[in-house]
Amino acid sequence: MKVWLEGRVVDGAEARVPVTDHGLLYGDGVFEGIRAYGRRVFRLDTHLERLAVSAAAIGLEIPGGLAHVRGVVLETLRALGADDGYVRLVITRGSGPLGVDPTTCSEPRLLCIADQVQLYDAERARRGLDLVTVSVRRPAPDVLDPRVKSLNYLNSALAKLEARRRGADEALILNAAGAIAEASVANVFVARGGVLRTPPASDGALEGVTRDSVLRLAGGLGIEAREQTLTRVDLLGADEAFLTGTGVRIVPIRSLDGARLRGAVPGPLTEKLTAAFADYARSEGVPF
Ligand code: PMP
């Protein structure tokens, strides 16, 4: 692992952040998870744009500006020295006295971690994930807007914890109205009758970069795809379903709450989109 911190890249084991950082004390900050494939950073500017929106939404200035942060990502990946990698880009409120008041923090802190990541083992991803509907709900936008990729991931962490305790791989998280929001760190897609559907951001989904890539690729493949409010019934009745995310990429869903989905795992649309995504990931991106 390599980490960019305070102007230089160090080994992961050497990177230190003060305990007074409000990112640690209060989860006050924003982040991005980004992948590199074949020495190119996949959709880097889309991630940076989302980071800028998240930062603006919580009144956080981007240290050095977005162009500087872009350079930091490339520098950290060069230091990692691998063709493929995963980048965790973090901006915290910075160090300050105890007490939640963000105005007491002197300056935001930028850090960038480059490493490898694997969220599910290959065998589990191949056979499809078992999901359970968890009791934890996604907060409403006026509580904590799920479109802001903030360091507040307790909601996702508790959803994942509940899913793991119940013997499942992953959590299906609903919003307060009982509609599907997303999984702990991934978006949900269902397909029925050849039509692909995913919940809109207004139902509590992050506007995932992988989700956006899949919607675009579907268009190019002539697969009808739309954003639509979905419930558990849409998942249980789906011909096929999958999760998308930078970490998970595209991974099929096998079951929900102990019930097997109806179709093959992976289904034909999932296979097509997985292949198209792999091609796209190898051809798109900012070289480093
Ligand atoms: N939802 C949440 C809550 C996430 O943390 C992530 C991972 N960033 C996603 C969805 C998937 O988004 P992306 O495809 O941009 O990684």
Side-chain angles (χ1 to χ4, degrees), residues 35 86 115-126 160 246-249:
R35 268 196 194 268
Y86 177 85
D115 200 1
Q116 304 299 332
V117 74
Q118 189 175 19
L119 297 192
Y120 306 105
D121 65 62
E123 171 55 19
R124 190 169 301 200
R126 196 196 51 75
K160 184 80 179 189
T246 298
V248 304
R249 291 180 268 223

Side-chain angles (χ1 to χ4, degrees), residues 1-3 6 18 20 38 43 48 68 89 134 144 178 184 201 218 236 250 253 272:
M1 178 192 288
K2 294 289 180 189
V3 180
E6 287 166 0
T20 50
R43 300 196 66 180
L48 290 174
H68 169 66
L89 187 54
V134 293
L144 198 60
S184 65
L236 290 166
I250 298 174
I253 299 171
K272 251 192 206 171

Side-chain angles (χ1 to χ4, degrees), residues 50 138 149 153 182 184-187 206 208-210 244-246:
R50 187 171 66 184
R138 265 292 180 254
K149 206 161 164 56
Y153 258 51
E182 55 183 346
S184 65
V185 291
N187 292 111
L206 183 76
V209 174
T210 321
T244 66
T246 298

Side-chain angles (χ1 to χ4, degrees), residues 34 60 72 99 153 189 232:
I34 306 169
L60 194 61
V72 164
Y153 258 51
F189 279 83
R232 287 179 67 255

Side-chain angles (χ1 to χ4, degrees), residues 44-145:
L44 175 56
D45 291 301
T46 310
H47 281 287
L48 290 174
E49 178 58 25
R50 187 171 66 184
L51 183 74
V53 169
S54 294
I58 71 161
L60 194 61
E61 238 177 68
I62 297 191
L66 220 48
H68 169 66
V69 173
R70 193 175 193 272
V72 164
V73 171
L74 300 176
E75 183 185 343
T76 315
L77 274 166
R78 277 195 293 271
L80 185 68
D83 291 353
D84 296 353
Y86 177 85
V87 168
R88 175 59 56 94
L89 187 54
V90 181
I91 305 175
T92 75
R93 189 72 67 179
S95 290
L98 296 178
V100 77
D101 187 353
T103 67
T104 62
C105 296
S106 46
E107 54 182 340
R109 173 171 282 116
L110 171 67
L111 57 108
C112 181
I113 305 168
D115 200 1
Q116 304 299 332
V117 74
Q118 189 175 19
L119 297 192
Y120 306 105
D121 65 62
E123 171 55 19
R124 190 169 301 200
R126 196 196 51 75
R127 63 132 159 96
L129 301 181
D130 295 320
L131 269 60
V132 288
T133 312
V134 293
S135 60
V136 176
R137 301 290 181 110
R138 265 292 180 254
D142 60 343
V143 177
L144 198 60
D145 197 315

Side-chain angles (χ1 to χ4, degrees), residues 50 53 138-149 173-177 179-183 186-189 197-209 211-212 215 226-230:
R50 187 171 66 184
V53 169
R138 265 292 180 254
D142 60 343
V143 177
L144 198 60
D145 197 315
R147 285 174 303 173
V148 177
K149 206 161 164 56
I173 307 175
L174 308 181
N175 63 24
I180 294 174
E182 55 183 346
N187 292 111
V188 176
F189 279 83
R197 294 181 176 84
T198 191
S202 52
D203 281 350
L206 183 76
E207 288 169 322
V209 174
R211 171 184 181 275
D212 179 66
L215 289 171
R226 56 174 93 120
E227 294 187 346
Q228 193 182 306
T229 293
L230 301 171

